[in-house]
Amino acid sequence: MSAIKFFTGEEIPLEMHKVRIVQKLNLPTVERRLEAITEAGNNTFLLNNADIFLDMLTDSGVNAMSDNQLASMMQADDSYAGSATFTRLADKLKEIFGKKHFLPAHQGRACENILASGLVKPGDVVPMNFHFTTVKAHITRCGGRVEEVVSDEGLVTTSDNLFKGNTDLKKLRKVIEENGAEKIPFFRLEAGTNLIGGQPFSLQNMRDIRALLDEFGIMLVLDASLLQDNLFFIKTREEQCKDMTIREITRAIADMSDIIYFSARKLGSARGGGIVFNDDKIKEQLQELVPMFEGFLTYGGMSVREMEAIAVGLEETMDMDMISQGPLFIEYMVNELQKHGVPVVTPAGGLGCHLNAMEFLPHIPQSEYPAGALAAAMYIAGGVRGMERGTLSEQREADGSERFAEMELLRLAMPRRVFTLSQVKYAIDRIVWLHENRELVGGLRFVEEPKTLRFFFGRLAPVSDWQEKLVAKFRADFGESL
Ligand SMILES: Cc1ncc(COP(=O)(O)O)c(C=O)c1O
């Protein structure tokens, strides 16, 4: 994808696929957008799809599927036990990752439930480059504690460090020495680190982690949900890996992992999940949890159609044309926004483009949720739905005080092969307009605040009439345009 030069010198990512099935979109008027976000309690999770033009909430389960994936679904073998579909998926996983056991589960967090329930005891400590919400919830539910050991650079929003998802070896050694290896059931390494802007780890960093863990006999568990982006970045950013194929990089990563789990809502562009490993003892520990929580061992809560699509999707993940589309579109978006002075997380990562709400809206205190306010404003400005990744997504402390997030981000996810470049240009245009008019945007306050997972169900209201003012400015600037 990146190797194609334009005669005019223009630098744009060129799609290496064609669109053969389409879904009609609706762009409501700005007045309707204000109504819709008010009905949704200023929470983008509560918007209806019918009111959304570009859904950039997530890539989870909404990546475009290929013709071959759809075709494979027709040959799914529907049986409770021993289906041929399961064997096809298990064989594909074995071929790609080289692990002999495969436990299926219905999505990524279900794998995390099984791993935490089977391996984490009260008082245990699980170090990881960075947490993901669902894995942290499962580890703490089982009485364990998460310790983050990402490099300091990982938390710097604007940086030229190409591997911000790297683990700081000194921090990791300290956690092991302070707690004792016997308290550490495993180290978790997240590919394409989600919550810090889809940032990758390098293969060299993984080698160093492996060597350190070997000193203490600690297992390495890889969260491969966002592996496809991480593979692309290793291939394109790590000098020593540029001559390796994607398949070779994948196998090098897999060989250093004791256990690999993944959300197939991301990896493999379908819907499902799984855990792969070699150790027979681990199989004994985890296997019984699958029929208990998920379904029989040959489907694990997944539809056989999805399992067929995952097998094909995994094979397609080995193709640079396929896995480069997301990162290159995101890079384009990040570069264009930077040209217009919009604060974004750099370097461009996988998963999506992340706006830095703390800098975008410096006049909004964290107590009034700047990233949440930016998400509501972005929807009003363009019918574009993003996801708040800041204080709203945190839980309050036990004493009821706010836990202010280290970063206030609005994530605009780029589901793979879903949007065209003109749609991305439209999103950029509306973000630039919003940035020009940022003083108009005000904060939010809770009107209904659930105790847990408040970012999913909570309802908020604007602290003033800033949203009406934003709509009026939109009309003044755009006239009759939607
Ligand atoms: C890195 C990572 N791990 C785990 C999960 C959980 O996967 P799922 O949404 O399929 O439960 C996600 C989902 O976004 C993720 O990004």
Side-chain angles (χ1 to χ4, degrees):
M1 201 178 200
S2 52
I4 299 167
K5 266 194 189 162
F6 279 64
F7 177 61
T8 57
E10 195 176 4
E11 286 185 21
I12 52 170
L14 181 63
E15 293 86 346
M16 296 302 282
H17 54 265
K18 61 180 177 179
V19 179
R20 292 166 67 208
I21 295 184
V22 296
Q23 179 181 359
K24 187 172 161 27
L25 287 175
N26 175 40
L27 176 52
T29 62
V30 69
E31 291 79 12
R32 172 63 204 148
R33 301 199 293 260
L34 173 57
E35 258 172 37
I37 198 73
T38 306
E39 286 161 15
N42 283 278
N43 181 344
T44 55
F45 276 100
L46 302 181
L47 284 166
N48 289 322
N49 228 2
D51 288 317
I52 294 164
F53 182 52
L54 300 183
D55 192 359
M56 297 185 145
L57 185 76
T58 176
D59 61 338
S60 182
V62 291
N63 290 321
M65 291 172 76
S66 70
D67 47 359
N68 286 326
Q69 282 184 291
L70 286 172
S72 74
M73 291 171 110
M74 300 303 290
Q75 56 171 15
D77 176 24
D78 228 334
S79 52
Y80 187 91
S83 101
T85 292
F86 176 79
T87 310
R88 271 194 285 275
L89 177 54
D91 286 349
K92 181 51 70 183
L93 284 162
K94 205 172 291 169
E95 179 199 317
I96 289 180
F97 293 121
K99 305 286 183 211
K100 72 178 180 192
H101 301 302
F102 163 43
L103 298 177
H106 79 275
Q107 65 182 97
R109 68 201 66 184
C111 303
E112 290 162 348
N113 176 31
I114 290 164
L115 289 167
S117 303
L119 303 175
V120 178
K121 299 185 301 306
D124 278 354
V125 177
V126 182
M128 51 188 70
N129 50 347
F130 208 73
H131 82 280
F132 184 69
T133 47
T134 50
V135 77
K136 188 170 179 176
H138 280 298
I139 288 168
T140 42
R141 183 182 56 74
C142 295
R145 180 163 56 85
V146 164
E147 284 278 356
E148 285 166 340
V149 291
V150 76
S151 64
D152 291 343
E153 281 283 314
L155 299 177
V156 179
T157 43
T158 317
S159 160
D160 53 10
N161 186 316
L162 297 177
F163 292 102
K164 291 203 303 187
N166 273 356
T167 292
D168 182 325
L169 276 290
K170 283 204 193 93
K171 289 188 199 170
L172 176 56
R173 182 179 287 281
K174 190 158 172 265
V175 171
I176 300 173
E177 287 177 349
E178 279 178 4
N179 295 282
E182 67 289 351
K183 284 267 171 239
I184 300 180
F186 57 86
F187 168 78
R188 172 181 170 275
L189 181 61
E190 184 177 314
T193 328
N194 187 330
L195 296 188
I196 58 168
Q199 300 293 325
F201 62 75
S202 69
L203 194 61
Q204 186 54 49
N205 186 246
M206 188 173 183
R207 288 199 184 100
D208 297 339
I209 296 168
R210 181 73 260 179
L212 177 56
L213 296 178
D214 284 345
E215 267 185 53
F216 296 92
I218 296 172
M219 277 203 298
L220 192 155
V221 173
L222 177 76
D223 178 350
S225 304
L226 290 166
L227 183 67
Q228 67 272 44
D229 298 331
N230 210 123
L231 290 169
F232 171 81
F233 291 127
I234 288 178
K235 168 94 181 153
T236 54
R237 293 180 181 177
E238 197 166 351
E239 190 53 32
Q240 305 90 302
C241 302
K242 70 179 197 319
D243 295 328
M244 291 171 80
T245 63
I246 293 298
R247 214 176 276 277
E248 284 165 350
I249 299 171
T250 306
R251 186 51 83 88
I253 289 173
D255 287 348
M256 288 188 275
S257 309
D258 297 289
I259 299 178
I260 302 173
Y261 77 91
F262 58 95
S263 165
R265 298 179 69 83
K266 291 167 183 283
L267 185 69
S269 295
R271 284 143 292 262
I275 309 173
V276 297
F277 49 92
N278 276 330
D279 193 329
D280 298 336
K281 233 181 87 224
I282 292 186
K283 188 173 179 209
E284 261 171 52
Q285 275 171 281
L286 302 183
Q287 174 169 271
E288 67 187 29
L289 298 169
V290 177
M292 233 167 7
F293 292 118
E294 298 298 307
F296 189 65
L297 281 177
T298 54
Y299 70 94
M302 282 184 278
S303 119
V304 280
R305 285 171 190 76
E306 297 293 343
M307 288 163 70
E308 290 285 356
I310 296 167
V312 175
L314 285 170
E315 179 56 37
E316 291 176 353
T317 301
M318 299 293 107
D319 176 357
M320 264 305 259
D321 279 343
M322 146 71 178
I323 62 173
S324 60
Q325 192 273 334
L328 291 180
F329 263 49
I330 292 162
E331 186 184 26
Y332 174 82
M333 191 166 173
V334 164
N335 289 345
E336 291 299 306
L337 288 172
Q338 273 198 304
K339 280 185 206 160
H340 289 93
V342 177
V344 280
V345 172
T346 58
L351 186 58
C353 169
H354 295 72
L355 306 184
N356 180 355
M358 218 105 90
E359 266 186 53
F360 200 115
L361 303 171
H363 54 283
I364 301 183
Q366 275 191 288
S367 56
E368 291 180 9
Y369 312 119
L374 188 56
M378 186 67 242
Y379 173 72
I380 294 171
V384 177
R385 167 157 81 162
M387 187 189 292
E388 193 270 1
R389 294 273 84 160
T391 297
L392 262 182
S393 299
E394 297 281 339
Q395 238 161 260
R396 284 185 188 268
E397 305 285 4
D399 66 1
S401 62
E402 280 286 5
R403 178 195 302 210
F404 294 121
E406 280 165 292
M407 292 183 184
E408 295 284 347
L409 303 180
L410 173 62
R411 183 182 87 184
L412 298 168
M414 193 76 74
R416 289 157 193 85
R417 299 185 292 187
V418 168
F419 297 126
T420 62
L421 198 62
S422 54
Q423 289 169 332
V424 173
K425 284 188 171 192
Y426 165 85
I428 293 166
D429 182 80
R430 292 303 191 256
I431 296 166
V432 171
W433 176 81
L434 193 59
H435 190 242
E436 294 280 311
N437 291 284
R438 58 192 177 277
E439 287 85 21
L440 288 178
V441 179
L444 298 174
R445 64 183 167 78
F446 266 107
V447 287
E448 276 173 43
E449 184 179 351
K451 273 217 165 58
T452 49
L453 299 177
R454 63 182 188 172
F455 65 97
F456 277 144
F457 324 118
R459 303 183 74 83
L460 300 102
V463 295
S464 65
D465 63 348
W466 65 264
Q467 296 184 325
E468 282 76 14
K469 290 193 175 126
L470 194 65
V471 170
K473 184 66 169 36
F474 182 96
R475 274 283 160 249
D477 288 353
F478 289 100
E480 289 305 298
S481 171
L482 287 174

